[in-house]
Each structure stands twice: as C-alpha cells, then as structure tokens.
Amino acid sequence: LHDPEFRRVWDESLIEGLDIYKIDDFNDIGYYSLRCPRPLKNRDFVNQRSWGIFGDDHMIMNHTIDIEEMPVKKDFVRGVSYLTGYVVRRTDAGCSVHYI
C-alpha cells in the first residue's frame, strides 16, 4: 500500500509519491501528493510510516512530520495526519483492507 511505484497502479488521485528516508526495516518517511476535486487545492503529506506483521494481520500506521528537505510546494496545502493507518487481514478469499 505504501510502495510509491505500485500506488500509481491503484490510486487515481496520486500526483507524486516518494520514499524520502528509510529509518529501519519497519519505519520510513515518505511524501505523497494528491489531486483534490475543485474548488479544493491539491494536498501533500510528509509522513513517518511504521509497519509490522501481527499473526495474520499486517498493520501500516503513519503520522505527519515536518522536515526541511520537503517544504510545502506552491499550489498545495500541506495535509496533517495525526494517526492513520491500514490493517490488511488474511481471509479465505485473499485479504481485506481496513482503513483506521
């Protein structure tokens, strides 16, 4: 879900997605910008993301951070995520994805 190249396949709102830093095997910092419907301005986010596997559940959590290397870009509103994420759960039919 947070692979910037694969995200282009399924996320029609994506403008740009980047991996900025790899902190360790389960944490990184990424950039994501998206198209918003008119009259809203497009949004962008710089998030610290953490993930792990817990039994059959895979969790991805993130929150917004500020870093000098990624200032707010012209014509974007910097989005804020206090704490959001996904749970991907194995099912008999494949998997289910839950947004939290």
Side-chain angles (χ1 to χ4, degrees), residues 22-98:
K22 178 180 179 180
I23 298 169
D24 60 31
D25 288 341
F26 300 99
N27 296 277
D28 70 5
I29 297 172
Y31 174 80
Y32 170 67
S33 60
L34 67 135
R35 284 184 251 342
C36 290
R38 287 185 167 183
L40 301 174
K41 281 191 158 188
N42 292 337
R43 303 291 193 258
D44 70 351
F45 296 84
V46 177
N47 289 330
Q48 180 177 348
R49 303 175 294 201
S50 301
W51 57 90
I53 300 170
F54 307 93
D56 286 340
D57 294 342
H58 294 237
M59 295 185 72
I60 303 168
M61 301 299 293
N62 69 70
H63 67 278
T64 300
I65 62 170
D66 291 319
I67 58 172
E68 291 180 15
E69 296 85 352
M70 294 301 292
V72 177
K73 295 183 178 184
K74 184 181 179 208
D75 297 325
F76 284 87
V77 172
R78 179 61 45 95
V80 176
S81 169
Y82 293 105
L83 183 62
T84 58
Y86 300 91
V87 175
V88 181
R89 182 165 289 149
R90 186 183 320 246
T91 66
D92 291 337
C95 71
S96 62
V97 179
H98 306 273

